Amino acid sequence: MRHNSVRKEGARQRAPHASDHGWDSTRHGGDDGPDASSGSGGEPPEGNGRHRLGTGGAERPPRRKRRVLRWSATILSVLILGTAGAGYLYYQHLNGNIETDDLNLGEHRAPEPTPNAAGQTPINILLIGSDARDSKANQKLGGAKETFGSPPLADVQMLLHLSADRTNMSVVSMPRDTLLQIPKCTDPDDGKVYAQSGPRTMTNESLGRGGPGCTVATWEKLTNIHINHFMMVDFAGVVAMADAIGGVPVCVDRNIHSRDSQGHGSGLKLKKGTTEVQGKQALQWLRTRYGFEGGTDISRAKAQHMYMNALVRKLRENTGLSNPNQLRKLAEKATAALKVDDGLDTIKKLYDLSAELKKVSPARTTMTTMPFDYAGARVVPKPGDAEQLFRLVRDDVPLDGKGHKKPAAEKPSDDPAAADGEIAVQVQNGTRSTVEPPVSGRAGTVAQLLTGKGFTKATPDTTTALAEERTVVRYPSKELEGDAQRIAKSLGLPLSSAKKSTDVSGVTLIVGADWRAGDAPPKPKKKDDSTPDSADALSGSDKKACMKVDPNFTW
């Protein structure tokens, strides 16, 4: 249930039917189309704009073209509170500004990470930027008045991973037009059930299927990364933030004017080199697609990463943030723009989170984009590379290549296993992957294999087909750890493949995508803990990063 404030008008409308493949927010539309610089945020008067791909690929009426990117307001919401200091904690009325929503609306939860030797665990926060035109302030900045109250889309999605030991931080962006399968989600307000979508549905549709908790569920299903919190914001604080700190330094490798003969572009006009952008220019930078290399949403995400890194560096220096009254006003705007899960529903909780985030230096912050392949005008996760990036985050491996930890020695359970014939084990088919369908009958085949090994209480679960990268044995409580390890050992799996999880009610063997055939799972290979080149990693300390400009948009 929602708490602390009434849901804003139009903030949650129903999503399109699952058979539609999403709004066309591809490289042929977006936030910086014709007349984007007009008005207060620069949005065009024409088009409500949704291109959809229907049966046979026929175009439907034009899509809404203007979506302002709001990730910076998310970071602002956390960092402002941390920069402001404990003095703002007494403003209890700020708590009333914060809207809350359920964390996960799906049926699956990714397993929680195992604590390190010091008992610490990572924190994973999904940052969501909604394109909802649900207030006059958002319309003033984003334009597109004819789209008021239309279904919101999660057009900005970034997973922020804070390491267990708080020494490093990673951010993974997912392109908004990624095609994937959105899981079944249930709206907690009215109980409406949104069935699992088809396998080629745009990820930004998840928000309209019950709320941000469905976007969280979509990420957990795709990545198997346990998400602790979400933060969703609008973009009203972007301009105020850039102004408050005296501008954010950005760089282009030649003069740029984001405007073509048809009027496409954000209107951004900068000279070659570094410029401190603020106000309208800052907003234009975040929205620019036409003019940057490639003219795609991917290049726009790269520009966002550069802006975000520069913003965080400047906030850490406390530049321009010495006026208490100014800080109070910024905190007011930040909390009013914020929607979070119940775990972050007070100023105190947000302040404590910001204190954890500030432990990481820019040099140990790494920005990445999910590796992808093009699928027509859309994208799909790149086989191998995308899963490699997700695994590194799951395993809490730093994406900057520093501080890799030696694998911990395997520890047998203190609880002895029962006799093989007394161990009840359920076998599930987890051979589905982002690029391959599940192997039919795999759960039954492996259950028979276990029976032949003496585990006569092994039974297949034929009701579900999961996606699991590696074969794993899950158990719900400590007293079943020994049984789970015994199953793992009998199959030649490492003891570490036995993992505690509240997602199961008994010992459960999930046959992963690594064991699609044969009588034994493959021997584990030596892990490659390098970040894929296709993730386009950018260090938070890189002050020389510069956007490449399309020669057709220079002056």
Side-chain angles (χ1 to χ4, degrees), residues 12 14 103-108 181-188 190-197 205-219 221:
R12 290 267 307 281
R14 297 298 160 231
L103 175 60
N104 189 313
L105 302 182
E107 297 178 324
H108 167 73
Q181 189 167 61
I182 299 174
K184 174 184 174 183
C185 291
T186 303
D187 190 316
D190 58 15
K192 181 171 181 177
V193 177
Y194 294 85
Q196 177 175 275
S197 77
E205 287 189 27
S206 59
L207 183 59
R209 299 165 66 89
C214 193
T215 305
V216 170
T218 301
W219 271 79
K221 178 179 180 179

Side-chain angles (χ1 to χ4, degrees), residues 236-512:
V238 176
V239 173
M241 187 54 178
D243 288 345
I245 63 175
V248 176
V250 296
C251 177
V252 288
D253 70 348
R254 67 177 75 192
N255 296 348
I256 181 175
H257 187 199
S258 179
R259 178 73 75 240
D260 66 11
S261 58
Q262 284 76 46
H264 295 111
S266 69
L268 179 70
K269 190 172 185 179
L270 297 176
K271 291 183 178 180
K272 175 182 177 180
T274 300
T275 303
E276 297 260 345
V277 295
Q278 52 187 313
K280 182 179 177 180
Q281 266 195 332
L283 197 60
Q284 289 173 332
W285 175 272
L286 300 176
R287 302 177 64 214
T288 295
R289 177 164 62 86
Y290 291 96
F292 290 148
E293 56 177 340
T296 68
D297 285 327
I298 307 305
S299 58
R300 174 159 46 195
K302 188 173 183 179
Q304 294 166 18
H305 290 169
M306 291 182 185
Y307 182 97
M308 182 175 174
N309 284 339
L311 173 64
V312 172
R313 286 196 300 268
K314 206 157 187 183
L315 280 170
R316 290 179 65 88
E317 297 166 2
N318 291 326
T319 304
L321 294 176
S322 58
N323 184 319
N325 187 55
Q326 188 176 40
L327 281 171
R328 180 185 61 79
K329 290 179 179 179
L330 286 170
E332 291 269 11
K333 291 181 179 180
T335 53
L338 189 63
K339 180 178 282 188
V340 296
D341 64 280
D342 290 341
L344 294 176
D345 62 355
T346 67
I347 299 299
K348 176 65 166 61
K349 292 175 182 177
L350 287 169
Y351 178 78
D352 289 344
L353 174 61
S354 73
E356 293 295 292
L357 294 173
K358 287 174 67 177
K359 292 177 181 178
V360 181
S361 69
R364 297 300 313 278
T365 300
T366 307
M367 309 287 297
T368 64
T369 299
M370 180 197 77
F372 64 89
D373 284 332
Y374 282 105
R378 317 286 195 214
V379 300
V380 294
K382 185 179 182 67
D385 284 9
E387 176 52 36
Q388 167 75 347
L389 185 63
F390 299 152
R391 181 188 68 78
L392 295 178
V393 174
R394 279 198 305 269
D395 292 351
D396 199 25
V397 176
L399 298 187
D400 59 7
K402 303 174 184 176
H404 284 185
K405 304 177 183 66
K406 294 181 179 179
E410 293 199 327
K411 180 183 177 183
S413 175
D414 296 331
D415 183 66
D420 290 355
E422 296 300 317
I423 298 177
V425 54
Q426 188 176 67
V427 183
Q428 294 182 336
N429 186 348
T431 56
R432 177 172 54 81
S433 71
T434 56
V435 294
E436 293 182 291
V439 177
S440 178
R442 193 62 182 148
T445 299
V446 175
Q448 290 179 3
L449 176 65
L450 284 173
T451 299
K453 290 178 175 288
F455 296 94
T456 54
K457 291 188 175 182
T459 58
D461 176 6
T462 59
T463 63
T464 185
L466 307 174
E468 198 74 41
E469 179 198 6
R470 295 190 297 271
T471 300
V472 64
V473 186
R474 296 206 168 100
Y475 59 94
S477 55
K478 178 68 176 178
E479 57 267 22
L480 291 177
E481 181 182 36
D483 291 356
Q485 288 190 353
R486 173 61 190 144
I487 294 291
K489 185 176 181 180
S490 73
L491 293 171
L493 294 167
L495 297 184
S496 59
S497 64
K499 298 182 181 296
K500 186 177 178 181
S501 171
T502 56
D503 279 350
V504 296
S505 57
V507 177
T508 304
L509 170 65
I510 304 175
V511 183

